[in-house]
Amino acid sequence: MSDVNRPNPLGDYLRARRALVTPEQAGLPGGTGRRVPGLRREEVAMLAGISADYYLRLERGRDKNPSRQVLESLARVLRLDDLEQDYLLGLATPRPRSRRRAKPERVPARLHQLLATLGVPAFVEGRAFDVLASNPLAVALNPRLRPGFNRLRSLLLDPEEQAFQQDWPRAAETAVAAFRKSVGDDTDNPRYVELVGELALASERFRTLWARHDVRALDGGTTTVNHPVVGELRLHRDKLPVDGLLLVLYYPDQDSESAEKLRLLASLAESGSPLTAG
């Protein structure tokens, strides 16, 4: 297999990240007439204290065993944060491949029982952001949280989901970076290959974000969404790992306007009232 066709996640990541560092950020003169965005290979090598030839071998996938010291030097030059540096180290030391066929992701019965008892929107998602289970309040909050939907596909391809997110550009950027972190070096997983291929064909935004090779942690935070019936909701989001899956919870501040709206949403859902505008 030629270098062009051989999978090379480490080299791909190095190329993408050096394209995002300007000469000025690296303490070098910028000037005009530069033919590549960001830093040149030889500039990265010089700043990291390695030879240009060795760095070229790393980018082309011809050296699979760089030392931790070299990788940490490259992380410094490429201005990687701690999470991005850990991701870089992981690409250079991939996990042993198992020849066993990947088992389908299944939600344990106790998680279904837990979802049914929770009084806040909650759902379970897999590593590829597939929705595997959800409670009625999650579906009332967002119909695209039904089992069978994919969170990333909805976010990139569904106009209703984009309108639902108050800050869609940031939500898309965060989701794509978190998805790359979830994929890690498991780039030949058929589910990931299928999803990346679909989104790359259908979404220019996905292609742009995927090419950046950003990575983000799969953690929680606070988000604001626009529900078509009850209006704006400010909700906290927690993601709890359970048996290789993620239990995702949305909840408002106690006694807040969003809490009142969420109670109204639950009441409408129980009564069978329409939960979409119009």
Side-chain angles (χ1 to χ4, degrees), residues 160-181:
E160 291 186 358
E161 178 68 20
Q162 294 168 13
F164 180 77
Q165 301 289 334
Q166 188 174 83
D167 189 353
W168 175 75
R170 181 181 179 186
E173 180 178 332
T174 300
V176 172
F179 177 63
R180 184 176 284 283
K181 175 67 169 59

Side-chain angles (χ1 to χ4, degrees), residues 70-81:
V70 165
L71 293 172
E72 289 178 346
S73 294
L74 290 171
R76 172 182 51 79
V77 173
L78 298 176
R79 303 172 66 87
L80 304 185
D81 61 24

Side-chain angles (χ1 to χ4, degrees), residues 10-270:
L10 175 61
D12 292 342
Y13 189 63
L14 291 173
R15 278 191 296 274
R17 300 317 296 182
R18 72 176 170 87
L20 299 176
V21 180
T22 66
E24 291 79 8
Q25 288 174 322
L28 299 173
T32 60
R34 297 178 68 92
R35 293 181 297 174
V36 296
L39 298 177
R40 300 184 180 103
R41 291 190 185 96
E42 58 269 23
E43 291 171 336
V44 174
M46 176 190 69
L47 293 168
I50 60 178
S51 73
D53 179 66
Y54 180 60
Y55 180 76
L56 179 61
R57 295 204 307 272
L58 286 177
E59 273 205 4
R60 292 186 174 176
R62 294 176 181 171
D63 190 310
K64 301 293 186 182
N65 298 294
S67 70
R68 184 182 182 93
Q69 181 180 4
V70 165
L71 293 172
E72 289 178 346
S73 294
L74 290 171
R76 172 182 51 79
V77 173
L78 298 176
R79 303 172 66 87
L80 304 185
D81 61 24
D82 291 343
L83 178 66
E84 292 164 339
Q85 177 174 302
D86 288 344
Y87 181 78
L88 174 65
L89 293 170
L91 292 178
T93 54
R95 300 183 305 271
R97 296 294 185 190
S98 172
R99 295 189 176 184
R100 293 182 299 174
R101 190 172 183 178
K103 295 181 179 179
E105 293 177 313
R106 301 190 186 281
V107 180
R110 70 181 190 282
L111 266 186
H112 284 287
Q113 295 168 359
L114 176 60
L115 286 173
T117 64
L118 290 172
V120 296
F123 66 98
V124 177
E125 70 180 15
R127 287 185 62 200
F129 297 3
D130 293 311
V131 179
L132 304 176
S134 57
N135 64 9
L137 190 49
V139 177
L141 173 68
N142 184 344
R144 293 159 297 279
L145 293 181
R146 287 189 179 92
F149 279 74
N150 177 271
R151 297 287 298 124
L152 199 59
R153 183 189 292 116
S154 296
L155 195 58
L156 272 298
L157 302 183
D158 192 323
E160 291 186 358
E161 178 68 20
Q162 294 168 13
F164 180 77
Q165 301 289 334
Q166 188 174 83
D167 189 353
W168 175 75
R170 181 181 179 186
E173 180 178 332
T174 300
V176 172
F179 177 63
R180 184 176 284 283
K181 175 67 169 59
S182 181
V183 171
D185 70 320
D186 196 12
T187 54
D188 57 356
N189 183 299
R191 179 67 185 117
Y192 297 151
V193 172
E194 173 192 30
L195 186 56
V196 170
E198 176 189 359
L199 294 175
L201 287 173
S203 170
E204 180 179 357
R205 181 63 176 158
F206 176 80
R207 292 193 297 271
T208 299
L209 292 173
W210 193 246
R212 288 175 56 91
H213 286 250
D214 291 333
V215 291
R216 295 287 184 274
L218 290 167
D219 53 15
T222 301
T223 186
T224 301
V225 298
N226 301 308
H227 192 276
V229 174
V230 301
E232 182 179 292
L233 291 159
R234 184 178 183 273
L235 301 171
H236 304 298
R237 179 182 60 240
D238 278 334
K239 296 189 173 187
L240 311 176
V242 182
D243 292 352
L245 306 174
L246 282 177
L247 172 64
V248 186
L249 309 171
Y250 286 98
Y251 57 95
D253 287 325
Q254 189 174 9
D255 298 326
S256 64
E257 183 179 356
S258 292
E260 180 60 33
K261 289 180 178 180
L262 198 59
R263 286 192 289 270
L264 173 59
L265 190 61
S267 177
L268 292 173
E270 290 177 2

